[in-house]
Amino acid sequence: DVKVTQSSRYLVKRTGEKVFLECVQDMDHENMFWYRQDPGLGLRLIYFSYDVKMKEKGDIPEGYSVSREKKERFSLILESASTNQTSMYLCASSLGGTVNTEAFFGQGTRLTVV
Amino acid sequence: AQTVTQSQPEMSVQEAETVTLSCTYDTSESDYYLFWYKQPPSRQMILVIRQEAYKQQNATENRFSVNFQKAAKSFSLKISDSQLGDAAMYFCAYRSLMEYGNKLVFGAGTILRVKS
């Protein structure tokens, strides 16, 4: 059974803090993703990675960075948290290649920046 | 860049009835994949159904089926015999075959309410 685990379900941080959101998958997937979910906007891609130490910007990378030192772990970093980064963050993983593979999601981290 | 549009922010259906959720997308590619994901209150995203663009036959998974109209770039989800457990947010998603990473592009979502 595929599992994508996010380190926290709820997180409250102060403006200006450096915030780490951790994601671990146990299915040896090549691809990993960080999405942000906001009402009325759906899921928007922040960053993704298709291999260890490889990363690509998504649609809204500003204010974020990522790290993938090991295949199973993909971290999202908010360098200096701001109130407009209050949101739900979803991590996902999938196999690589062009086969019709679904993405598997973690349960999300609801981040509040005060 | 591809875009996905879900024009219905909310829908309601009576238990045991049928409901259709709409999705349109914009792409210049000829080959791609389309998905419907369900997000219940637990927040866990679950794949409902998938469709390969090269297949003319509409995908079906038990009570869930799609109406895929490639020329119109339309991909609607039909839920038959609706159950209380179907209440959730539903997202339509597009995946390109041309780009690295198999990333998904999502619509804004449709909240489905099921009345008993």
Side-chain angles (χ1 to χ4, degrees), chain B residues 14-51:
Chain B
Q14 200 70 33
E15 205 174 359
E17 298 293 310
T18 295
V19 65
T20 298
L21 308 184
S22 301
C23 173
T24 59
Y25 57 94
D26 189 26
T27 184
S28 58
E29 298 173 349
S30 60
D31 206 8
Y32 45 86
Y33 297 135
L34 296 165
F35 302 84
W36 278 98
Y37 277 87
K38 169 185 177 181
Q39 186 182 45
S42 68
R43 302 188 335 215
Q44 184 65 60
M45 294 277 276
I46 303 163
L47 178 68
V48 174
I49 199 164
R50 74 184 89 193
Q51 174 80 42

Side-chain angles (χ1 to χ4, degrees), chain A residues 9-10 31 33 35 37 40 42 45 48 88 95 97-103 105 107-108, chain B residues 33 35 37 39 42-45 47 50 52 91 95 97 100-104 106-108:
Chain A
R9 279 183 66 85
Y10 299 94
N31 301 326
F33 311 87
Y35 286 90
Q37 182 179 357
L45 183 64
F48 67 100
M88 170 83 81
L95 285 169
T98 56
V99 294
N100 188 4
T101 59
E102 65 179 281
F105 286 81
Q107 284 197 289
Chain B
Y33 297 135
F35 302 84
Y37 277 87
Q39 186 182 45
S42 68
R43 302 188 335 215
Q44 184 65 60
M45 294 277 276
L47 178 68
R50 74 184 89 193
E52 292 89 343
F91 290 99
R95 178 158 84 77
L97 291 180
Y100 275 119
N102 315 127
K103 59 184 179 179
L104 292 169
F106 287 86

Side-chain angles (χ1 to χ4, degrees), chain B residues 58-74:
Chain B
N58 289 324
T60 300
E61 289 285 343
N62 301 312
R63 298 183 294 108
F64 299 88
S65 61
V66 297
N67 183 3
F68 173 49
Q69 301 288 329
K70 192 173 183 179
K73 296 179 184 173
S74 170

Side-chain angles (χ1 to χ4, degrees), chain A residues 66-85:
Chain A
V66 290
S67 172
R68 194 170 181 197
E69 296 296 318
K70 293 185 178 181
K71 191 174 185 180
E72 67 271 18
R73 186 181 296 270
F74 192 37
S75 303
L76 179 70
I77 304 154
L78 285 65
E79 297 292 342
S80 177
S82 65
T83 54
N84 64 11
Q85 292 179 309

Side-chain angles (χ1 to χ4, degrees), chain A residues 24-91:
Chain A
V24 177
Q25 51 95 1
D26 65 359
M27 282 302 290
D28 204 35
H29 284 170
E30 289 83 5
N31 301 326
M32 295 189 75
F33 311 87
W34 276 106
Y35 286 90
R36 172 176 169 160
Q37 182 179 357
D38 298 290
L41 297 177
L43 279 72
R44 293 178 292 166
L45 183 64
I46 304 171
Y47 267 97
F48 67 100
S49 167
Y50 52 88
D51 201 350
V52 176
K53 299 195 189 242
M54 304 302 290
K55 58 187 178 185
E56 293 281 343
K57 291 180 181 179
D59 300 316
I60 52 165
E62 296 78 19
Y64 304 94
S65 62
V66 290
S67 172
R68 194 170 181 197
E69 296 296 318
K70 293 185 178 181
K71 191 174 185 180
E72 67 271 18
R73 186 181 296 270
F74 192 37
S75 303
L76 179 70
I77 304 154
L78 285 65
E79 297 292 342
S80 177
S82 65
T83 54
N84 64 11
Q85 292 179 309
T86 291
S87 187
M88 170 83 81
Y89 291 88
L90 289 169
C91 175

